[in-house]
Amino acid sequence: MEALITQVQTLASTADETGRKKLLDALRDVQYSLETPYDTLQRLSYLHLQIAGARLGIDLTLFEALAGNENPLGVDELAKNIQRSARAPGRNPDLSQGRILRYLASIGMLKETGKDEFTANNITRVLANTNYQGGMHHYFDTVGPIFLELPNYLAETKYKNITDNGKTVIQKAYNIDLPGFIWFPSQPKRFAYFQQVMTVQRAGAPDWLSVFPVEKEVGSWSAQPYKALFVDIDGGFGHQCLAFRAKYPKLPGRMVLQDIPQTLEHVPPIEGVEVMVQNFFEPQAIKGESKLPWNPRLVSFPSPYRSADDILGAKFYYLRNILHDYPDDKCIAILRNLASAMDEDSRILIDDMVLPNTGVHWQAAQLDLTMMAALGSVERTEEQWYALMKSAKLRILQIHTYTTSLQDSVIVAVPQ
Ligand SMILES: C[S@@+](CC[C@H](N)C(=O)[O-])C[C@H]1O[C@@H](n2cnc3c(N)ncnc32)[C@H](O)[C@@H]1O
């Protein structure tokens, strides 16, 4: 047994991302093949409890306490840590029986080192990180109730595909009329958790800059007089602007982060990145037509808008994980707003999943169902992307794929 485990670990340590994922899936298949029906019942029936356990551990600051100590901690010491924690004020948990801790250890979220004594493992360290904690909150607090409603919703709607973002499971789960992405920003706590997890999505996997040939695409394009090189449309906290600038510090041209005010008010200043309010359902402000000279006194875009007339078209209009939030009619509206802003050198870069027609990975399939249930949208197959772009009167020039399980890709598009 030990030899087998060492062999698997060695294989994993030398594998690339694709190989590592293949190994994980193969190990899962072996595990399931060994299950008795009762094992299967046990595993599936308690899936809710696993994420509830993670939430509990986060609320009690257990993961931070263990990850912050090299040595194992006893339950009494852990309880004292929780009382001292600024994030769990007034909490005085009874850990004396170790029930929560032993459950978390039994499902691998921490490690039991002796009687009433625990230490961190790799999963503890993930759950001690604020952004991953945001993810646990997002999936437990906000997405969880949607999953619970999904079977009944689909039974009531005769299992039709969900394509209307005003009639998804979210309206039933939260007793609201608004589409998810209109309702969501009005929920500051939920929205903040979501933005946190957005910053770590795909962490550890290759990113789009590893495959997209930025310098080649920029070629002889000139940023003169004051053109934007990169507009991150609904870029959230601006992490892609940061990554782009870190990789290409010398490329000329302005960097612009656009989003809605509810998001931008949480974004700390980012050096070299101008922040601009832009609703993507309204005409894109950074556009090809230039009527007025540039006003050099304005070093950042005030909110709300400055005059759009003195802003020149951008080289790249980048949309990461935006179009998968919307059904086709809304995507077409977003894309048309961009198409009418583009000049002949502009390119739309869509950073989204491009699914194969068969053999979709479970991580992609679960995201797709979440999109359907919450937003009436879809993770599109290559065929669906081509059809959507044609309807938006755009032409796909290339598709650069950079992850294997999710098939994250950059779709490069121009007006037809
Ligand atoms: C799925 S997140 C993607 C964020 C970012 N592109 C990323 O990959 O991390 C969607 C973003 O769209 C923004 N958003 C939602 N509705 C919008 C609208 N009507 N106009 C502009 N941005 C919007 C949200 O504030 C959020 O930052």
Side-chain angles (χ1 to χ4, degrees):
M1 181 79 159
E2 286 300 316
L4 201 59
I5 293 172
T6 311
Q7 214 179 333
V8 170
Q9 283 167 338
T10 311
L11 206 58
S13 68
T14 53
D16 61 9
E17 185 55 15
T18 310
R20 205 182 54 81
K21 283 263 162 40
K22 270 193 181 147
L23 188 60
L24 279 172
D25 291 343
L27 289 169
R28 179 202 64 181
D29 290 345
V30 172
Q31 183 198 331
Y32 291 179
S33 74
L34 300 177
E35 283 182 352
T36 63
Y38 186 68
D39 289 332
T40 305
L41 176 74
Q42 283 284 333
R43 178 172 57 76
L44 291 176
S45 314
Y46 288 87
L47 286 175
H48 290 89
L49 189 59
Q50 291 210 14
I51 188 163
R55 253 296 306 272
L56 262 173
I58 289 166
D59 289 352
L60 292 175
T61 65
L62 284 174
F63 303 118
E64 288 104 308
L66 290 170
N69 277 284
E70 266 179 35
N71 298 320
L73 293 177
V75 285
D76 295 340
E77 188 54 30
L78 268 169
K80 278 190 208 135
N81 254 291
I82 294 164
Q83 285 159 23
R84 284 196 295 263
S85 160
R87 216 169 50 68
R91 291 184 197 173
N92 188 8
D94 177 10
L95 295 181
S96 59
Q97 295 177 39
R99 294 171 74 182
I100 295 172
L101 287 152
R102 81 179 170 210
Y103 170 67
L104 296 179
S106 76
I107 56 167
M109 288 187 189
L110 38 101
K111 193 167 183 283
E112 192 172 24
T113 46
K115 184 173 180 304
D116 293 336
E117 199 186 75
F118 300 88
T119 195
N121 63 14
N122 59 325
I123 311 294
T124 319
R125 284 184 275 276
V126 171
L127 294 172
N129 173 295
T130 314
N131 293 326
Y132 290 96
Q133 291 183 344
M136 292 299 112
H137 273 283
H138 175 63
Y139 285 101
F140 183 79
D141 306 351
T142 300
V143 182
I146 299 170
F147 289 158
L148 290 181
E149 278 298 338
L150 179 63
N152 290 339
Y153 177 96
L154 285 178
E156 281 167 21
T157 55
K158 312 266 181 285
Y159 299 95
K160 287 204 185 75
N161 193 16
I162 308 174
T163 55
D164 179 345
N165 70 3
K167 291 190 182 124
T168 68
V169 190
I170 214 171
Q171 284 80 27
K172 188 171 160 60
Y174 289 98
N175 199 17
I176 52 169
D177 294 325
L178 295 170
F181 256 115
I182 307 239
W183 168 78
F184 201 30
S186 72
Q187 306 288 304
K189 225 170 158 183
R190 294 180 194 279
F191 200 56
Y193 287 135
F194 169 71
Q195 292 292 7
Q196 280 173 346
V197 70
M198 281 291 111
T199 65
V200 288
Q201 65 167 339
R202 319 292 202 265
D207 72 2
W208 68 284
L209 291 165
S210 66
V211 292
F212 182 68
V214 170
E215 280 162 323
K216 183 167 162 242
E217 285 287 330
V218 170
S220 58
W221 175 82
S222 165
Q224 296 298 328
Y226 298 102
K227 290 178 95 173
L229 171 64
F230 186 73
V231 183
D232 191 357
I233 295 160
D234 319 303
F237 283 13
H239 25 280
Q240 297 312 314
C241 286
L242 276 170
F244 189 102
R245 256 303 167 233
K247 186 150 185 188
Y248 301 104
K250 296 223 159 67
L251 275 184
R254 294 160 47 201
M255 305 286 296
V256 182
L257 169 65
Q258 297 182 333
D259 213 297
I260 50 175
Q262 295 95 317
T263 297
L264 293 179
E265 71 197 25
H266 300 290
V267 178
I270 310 171
E271 208 190 318
V273 176
E274 294 164 284
V275 170
M276 179 186 199
V277 172
Q278 169 79 53
N279 179 342
F280 46 49
F281 291 117
E282 291 173 7
Q284 169 59 235
I286 300 203
K287 59 182 184 178
E289 302 287 314
S290 171
K291 294 186 192 132
L292 297 173
W294 170 254
N295 178 351
R297 280 177 301 127
L298 286 171
V299 290
S300 72
F301 292 101
S303 304
Y305 318 88
R306 63 186 287 191
S307 160
D309 289 337
D310 56 350
I311 301 169
L312 290 159
K315 174 66 191 166
F316 299 123
Y317 292 99
Y318 174 78
L319 303 116
R320 178 176 183 252
N321 294 339
I322 302 296
L323 298 185
H324 77 154
D325 289 338
Y326 291 95
D328 282 6
D329 58 333
K330 297 282 184 297
C331 290
I332 292 169
I334 295 170
L335 290 167
R336 291 308 307 157
N337 279 330
L338 292 182
S340 52
M342 292 166 78
D343 63 23
E344 60 191 13
D345 294 322
S346 304
R347 298 285 181 270
I348 295 177
L349 307 180
I350 299 166
D351 189 346
D352 242 319
M353 287 153 59
V354 178
L355 302 183
N357 291 328
T358 58
V360 173
H361 191 265
W362 61 271
Q363 290 186 358
Q366 68 189 13
L367 263 172
D368 175 49
L369 278 194
T370 309
M371 290 296 131
M372 178 185 85
L375 303 169
S377 67
V378 55
E379 297 298 350
R380 294 176 172 85
T381 61
E382 187 167 327
E383 230 170 73
Q384 289 170 321
W385 277 114
Y386 273 97
L388 172 66
M389 299 309 266
K390 195 168 166 209
S391 310
K393 300 194 172 45
L394 293 170
R395 185 161 55 93
I396 294 182
L397 294 180
Q398 300 119 23
I399 299 182
H400 302 270
T401 299
Y402 61 92
T403 64
T404 37
S405 51
L406 294 179
Q407 295 283 297
D408 292 295
S409 307
V410 181
I411 303 171
V412 186
V414 291
Q416 273 177 357

